[in-house]
Amino acid sequence: MKRRNILAVGTAAGGGACLLTLTTAFKTNTKAEEKKHKLEPGKTETEWNYGTLSADDTGRIAYNGYAEGSCMYAVANSIIQQLADRFGEPYTAFPVHMMKYGHGGVGGYGTLCGALNGAAAMIGLVVPDKKDQNALIADLFRWYEQSNLPVYSPENPVTEYTPEPSKAGSPLCHASVSNWCKVSGHGSAGKQRKERCSRLSADVAIQATAMLNRYFDCEYQTPMFSGETSNTCLTCHGKEGKLENTSGQMSCTACHTKSIGHRLFADVHYKCIEEKE
C-alpha cells in the first residue's frame, strides 16, 4: 500500500475514533418522559360554569356552524350555545362572532388551525387554572397531530362527499390542509376541502368537550397523548439543552428533518459552541 493511502486510512480511522469518543463523552441525557397525573378542577369561583355536553349535539352544532363562520367559530359556538341554553348569562352575552377571525389559520394566514384555536379558547374560558389549561391544550393538540381526521359523519352533509382522513402532523392550518390535499388529491379551495374542514371542526369540538367532561368529573389523567417527538428534540434544543434555542411542544418533524450531518455531529458540535457570557 502506498504511503499516501496508509496516511489517509490512518487519518480516517483516527478521526472516526475521535468522533466516537467525543460523541459518547458529550452525549446528552434523554429528556424524561412525562408522568401521568390526575387533573382536578379547583375551587376557584367563576361565573363561567360548565356542564357535561353530549358528543352528538356538539358535533352537529359545530358542523352546521362552519358555513356561518368557519372553523374557529364553529367549535367555539358549539360549546357556547349549549352552555348558554343551560346556564343563561354570562354565556348568552358572549360575543361569539369574534371567533370568526380564526378562519384559515387566523384571518386566512395559515397559522394555528382555527378549530384548535376555538377549542383552546373554550378551555381557557371554563378552566381557570393555567397549568390545567396548558395540560388540556397540549393533549388536544397532540391528539390532532397524531390522529387520522376527519371521522365525523353528519346526518345531512352539505356536500355529498366523504373526505379521506389524513394525519395533520402539525397544529398549523397550512400543514394540515396540505397533508390532506396530498392524501385526497383535491385542491385547497374546493368544496371537498370545505367539507373536510366542516367535519374536522366537529371532530375537534367533540374531542374538546369529551376532555372537559372528564376533567370536571375528576376523571382526567394527562398526558393522554405522547409528546415523544418534541421531547427528543428538546433534549438539545430546549431550555435545559446545549443549544437552548427553541421552546414549545408541537411535533418538530412536520417542518424539520434531521440531516445525516445533524445525526452524526450534533452532540460534538453543540459541546464545542462557546458558552454564552
Side-chain angles (χ1 to χ4, degrees), residues 118-132:
M122 294 300 97
I123 290 172
L125 181 66
V126 299
V127 179
D129 185 83
K130 184 179 178 181
K131 289 184 179 179
D132 287 0

Side-chain angles (χ1 to χ4, degrees), residues 97-144:
H97 68 275
M98 69 175 285
M99 298 297 177
K100 294 178 181 180
Y101 82 83
H103 77 93
V106 183
Y109 213 72
T111 59
L112 178 63
C113 168
L116 291 179
N117 205 344
M122 294 300 97
I123 290 172
L125 181 66
V126 299
V127 179
D129 185 83
K130 184 179 178 181
K131 289 184 179 179
D132 287 0
Q133 289 177 5
N134 290 346
L136 290 164
I137 290 170
D139 272 349
L140 179 68
F141 282 26
R142 287 171 181 168
W143 163 82
Y144 179 93

Side-chain angles (χ1 to χ4, degrees), residues 19-247:
L19 176 61
L20 179 61
T21 301
L22 289 172
T23 301
T24 302
F26 301 147
K27 191 170 182 62
T28 57
N29 294 322
T30 302
K31 186 176 175 65
E33 292 184 4
E34 297 171 86
K35 295 182 179 179
K36 288 186 177 294
H37 62 282
K38 192 172 184 179
L39 298 184
E40 294 184 357
K43 299 295 183 181
T44 305
E45 292 185 4
T46 174
E47 57 183 349
W48 301 96
N49 297 313
Y50 184 83
T52 300
L53 303 181
S54 76
D56 289 343
D57 290 341
T58 300
R60 174 179 50 79
I61 296 171
Y63 176 81
N64 292 331
Y66 183 88
E68 182 179 349
S70 197
C71 45
M72 183 175 180
Y73 172 86
V75 173
N77 182 62
S78 71
I79 296 174
I80 292 294
Q81 188 179 126
Q82 293 181 85
L83 295 178
D85 289 343
R86 181 171 302 182
F87 297 111
E89 294 290 355
Y91 289 103
T92 51
F94 187 91
V96 71
H97 68 275
M98 69 175 285
M99 298 297 177
K100 294 178 181 180
Y101 82 83
H103 77 93
V106 183
Y109 213 72
T111 59
L112 178 63
C113 168
L116 291 179
N117 205 344
M122 294 300 97
I123 290 172
L125 181 66
V126 299
V127 179
D129 185 83
K130 184 179 178 181
K131 289 184 179 179
D132 287 0
Q133 289 177 5
N134 290 346
L136 290 164
I137 290 170
D139 272 349
L140 179 68
F141 282 26
R142 287 171 181 168
W143 163 82
Y144 179 93
E145 289 177 335
Q146 299 167 20
S147 300
N148 282 304
L149 302 170
V151 296
Y152 181 75
S153 180
E155 290 185 7
N156 301 300
V158 174
T159 301
E160 289 296 336
Y161 160 70
T162 300
E164 294 81 357
S166 62
K167 187 177 293 187
S170 168
L172 301 180
C173 171
H174 75 272
S176 177
V177 170
S178 294
N179 285 337
W180 176 80
C181 289
K182 183 178 180 180
V183 169
S184 69
H186 292 291
S188 61
K191 62 182 181 180
Q192 294 87 356
R193 197 277 305 160
K194 291 180 180 179
E195 182 65 21
R196 177 259 183 181
C197 288
S198 298
R199 298 189 185 203
L200 182 67
S201 297
D203 285 327
V204 172
I206 291 170
Q207 179 68 11
T209 53
M211 293 169 65
L212 287 171
N213 289 347
R214 293 180 62 185
Y215 174 76
F216 283 101
D217 285 340
C218 299
E219 296 178 352
Y220 195 94
Q221 277 203 329
T222 188
M224 289 180 62
F225 299 92
S226 171
E228 180 181 357
T229 301
S230 58
N231 285 348
T232 299
C233 296
L234 291 174
T235 297
C236 285
H237 293 273
K239 65 180 181 179
E240 297 178 359
K242 293 172 181 177
L243 282 184
E244 193 190 351
N245 63 352
T246 193
S247 62

